[in-house]
Amino acid sequence: MSVTGTVRGKRNVLGVLVDVTDYAEAVELIVAAAREQRPFAVTALAVHGVMTGVEDFAHNGRLNSFDLVTPDGQPVRWALNLLHGAGLTDRVYGPSLTLKVVEQAAAEGLPIYLYGSTQPVLDRLVPALQEMFPALKVVGIEPSKFRKSLPGEELEIAERIKSSGARIVLVGLGCPRQEIFTYAMRPHLDMPLLAVGAAFDYHAGLLKNPPAWMQKYALEWLWRLGLEPKRLWKRYILLNPAYLARLFAQKLGIWKATAPAPSTERVYDFAV
């Protein structure tokens, strides 16, 4: 599937700059950065991810510094179409993008590093990925420590990743922790970092994807809410209406959704 129309590049969605892109383009941009050994920060944002930027101006600046921000949720794709005439016919969903990148990495012999989640999840994820892609090289796994970083710890993490020989890092720390981690680590790594959300849990077999019709009509949030009501009720019951209200305010010109400049400030305290 390819991007249709003439609108390309980053566009303002509630002040967050989201890329008008598709799976083919996103995979090519990521893998090209891996081949060329250059930093490249990627995240896939659904409504919750966009709203983390709306609610935190400093974080919005960090998001706007990312090299690639894909429309993970259907409502984000709709926003690009409504506000900017993007003509996108599909979202670029984090777990699906993850598999497409991993597939291409396996085909080209580009080793990957998995950072985040828990050891039991990673222990299930690695064989699941290698069963799907037998040529895949997983050269490092590192579960989350579920704490804040220590002074200078980003350099130690970067050294472990670089010494493994990895060319792509998948980061599964949950939103917005994974985006802050990716932002903090990008200056220290000459490779793509992908904040992939719940992809680790999905591909480890711990979460089930909703039916295709629910995904098509932006009802995935309802599926996730049913699976994890205690953890997710605030995210969906409160943030979804707030997102829609701001979206229509931006469309009608009632609210000027100012996009802050891409941030260059160092983050000293982030989740690892």
Side-chain angles (χ1 to χ4, degrees):
M1 185 174 295
S2 61
V3 175
T4 59
T6 59
V7 177
R8 304 297 288 268
K10 293 185 179 295
R11 293 293 183 271
N12 182 330
V13 176
L14 280 61
V16 177
L17 299 180
V18 183
D19 286 87
V20 178
T21 191
D22 58 17
Y23 286 112
E25 181 182 54
V27 171
E28 176 53 32
L29 290 171
I30 293 163
V31 174
R35 293 188 202 109
E36 297 162 15
Q37 300 187 25
R38 53 183 169 83
F40 197 78
V42 183
T43 187
L45 293 187
V47 167
H48 176 230
V50 171
M51 292 301 292
T52 61
V54 172
E55 296 176 337
D56 184 339
F57 193 79
H59 185 59
N60 197 341
R62 290 191 289 268
L63 293 175
N64 288 353
S65 78
F66 272 54
D67 300 283
L68 181 65
V69 176
T70 74
D72 175 276
Q74 296 289 8
V76 181
R77 176 181 70 88
W78 294 344
L80 288 171
N81 291 345
L82 177 69
L83 297 172
H84 306 292
L88 289 175
T89 58
D90 197 6
R91 62 179 176 164
V92 180
Y93 179 48
S96 298
L97 178 62
T98 298
L99 287 188
K100 292 177 185 293
V101 169
V102 168
E103 179 180 23
Q104 191 62 29
E108 297 193 24
L110 298 168
I112 70 169
Y113 195 100
L114 305 175
Y115 190 100
S117 194
T118 65
Q119 190 66 48
V121 171
L122 294 174
D123 288 343
R124 294 183 60 161
L125 177 61
V126 173
L129 292 176
Q130 291 178 326
E131 183 177 355
M132 286 186 276
F133 311 111
L136 178 65
K137 299 176 183 177
V138 180
V139 293
I141 62 171
E142 189 167 343
S144 173
K145 299 161 188 64
F146 297 98
R147 59 167 171 77
K148 293 291 186 179
S149 59
L150 303 174
E153 189 170 10
E154 68 273 18
L155 299 178
E156 298 173 4
I157 295 171
E159 183 55 38
R160 287 196 293 273
I161 294 172
K162 289 188 287 188
S163 64
S164 74
R167 297 301 331 135
I168 298 173
V169 185
L170 304 181
V171 183
L173 291 171
C175 177
R177 295 180 299 276
Q178 61 193 5
E179 283 79 19
I180 300 172
F181 177 93
T182 297
Y183 173 87
M185 295 302 301
R186 177 177 52 183
H188 307 293
L189 292 169
D190 57 353
M191 64 191 74
L193 293 105
L194 283 67
V196 297
F200 284 14
D201 287 333
Y202 277 120
H203 300 317
L206 299 174
L207 284 177
K208 293 182 179 179
N209 274 311
W213 69 269
M214 293 189 80
Q215 297 186 50
K216 180 179 179 181
Y217 293 107
L219 293 174
E220 185 173 358
W221 67 272
L222 189 59
W223 175 269
R224 292 286 307 277
L225 181 61
L227 293 176
E228 302 178 87
K230 290 183 179 179
R231 186 173 76 87
L232 298 178
W233 75 268
K234 286 185 179 179
R235 175 188 300 187
Y236 294 127
I237 301 302
L238 300 180
L239 288 186
N240 283 7
Y243 172 85
L244 291 173
R246 287 181 180 266
L247 173 59
F248 287 111
Q250 182 180 353
K251 174 63 177 177
L252 296 172
I254 300 170
W255 171 57
K256 186 177 181 181
T258 302
S263 178
T264 58
E265 293 188 12
R266 182 179 173 187
V267 176
Y268 292 93
D269 186 17
F270 58 96
V272 295

